[in-house]
Amino acid sequence: MQLRKATMEDLDTVMDILRDGRNQLAERGIDQWQGDYPNEEHIKEDIQHGWAYLVQSDDDQTVGALAIIDAPDHSYDALDGKWLLDTDKYQVIHRVAIHSKHAGNGYASQLFESVIDYIKNNRKDIKSLRIDTHENNKIMQHLITKNGFTKVGELHGVYRPEEESYVYEMITQPTDEDK
């Protein structure tokens, strides 16, 4: 599995993967992404900042997309909870989707493993990873906790007025207390 930074030439591919992800959520009765999020403007901004990635399988097929956003992420300003680590040296995983034609091959787990390994081994300046997902997205909640994240709180109405999201964090570098 490889993660490759997306370019503007990849915009249609990223949008197709995210639309497919939106449809997968709708088919499971999950209200996440059913409004105007994520939209093309979000993805263009991700690409311009170098935050958008395509997920490629070992046989070089594009199977998914995600964004790895640099701090600060103001969607977390209203966190109802407590971070494991009070730091501004974090990154946030957003907009994770594996295209349905590649579902069931373990790509989502491999994606998380790749991101976590990369951050831990190559970004010693990043002290934690953060992520959130819709309260009804049980598959993503399982994937997040299976990969070592701890639930730290909730967001109420950040993405849409009635929407609740669960927020998770993983410490990626030992703190002074751990040494």
Side-chain angles (χ1 to χ4, degrees):
M1 157 134 331
Q2 308 259 333
L3 298 180
R4 176 177 71 77
K5 278 197 182 199
T7 66
M8 280 302 174
E9 288 79 42
D10 299 313
L11 179 63
D12 289 342
T13 302
V14 174
M15 292 306 301
D16 178 57
I17 292 166
L18 295 178
R19 274 191 293 276
D20 180 77
R22 176 180 287 138
N23 293 340
Q24 290 178 64
L25 291 165
E27 288 168 9
R28 294 196 316 258
I30 300 169
D31 201 29
Q32 187 175 10
W33 290 7
Q34 301 309 303
D36 188 40
Y37 174 89
N39 62 44
E40 192 170 295
E41 292 309 309
H42 293 119
I43 307 314
K44 284 180 179 176
E45 181 182 350
D46 288 348
I47 291 170
Q48 289 166 347
H49 285 97
W51 299 336
Y53 290 84
L54 289 171
V55 182
Q56 296 184 282
S57 63
D58 290 337
D59 60 357
D60 217 26
Q61 293 184 67
T62 299
V63 300
L66 78 153
I68 304 171
I69 311 290
D70 292 329
D73 186 331
H74 294 294
S75 58
Y76 292 146
D77 289 352
L79 176 71
D80 181 3
K82 184 172 179 357
W83 296 113
L84 298 174
L85 188 62
D86 184 16
T87 183
D88 60 354
K89 305 230 183 293
Y90 65 89
Q91 287 186 312
V92 181
I93 300 170
H94 278 306
R95 301 182 269 289
V96 176
I98 299 296
H99 198 284
S100 59
K101 67 183 177 186
H102 299 286
N105 294 313
Y107 291 132
S109 290
Q110 291 176 43
L111 177 155
F112 273 93
E113 291 167 14
S114 295
V115 170
I116 292 164
D117 286 349
Y118 178 80
I119 298 297
K120 284 183 174 183
N121 295 321
N122 299 293
R123 293 294 309 271
K124 303 291 187 189
D125 57 314
I126 300 300
K127 303 303 178 194
S128 82
L129 276 174
R130 298 174 179 179
I131 189 169
D132 64 88
T133 193
H134 191 279
E135 64 183 319
N136 295 327
N137 193 341
K138 304 295 185 207
I139 292 172
M140 183 57 78
Q141 291 169 30
H142 172 75
L143 193 59
I144 290 168
T145 56
K146 175 180 130 180
N147 280 283
F149 287 82
T150 301
K151 185 177 175 193
V152 296
E154 294 90 33
L155 295 175
H156 310 284
V158 169
Y159 298 108
R160 292 189 305 161
E162 301 302 314
E163 191 168 277
E164 182 147 326
S165 298
Y166 296 156
V167 181
Y168 302 81
E169 183 176 32
M170 168 191 283
I171 296 174
T172 57
Q173 298 298 326
T175 60
D176 290 335
E177 299 98 48
D178 297 336
K179 293 178 182 175

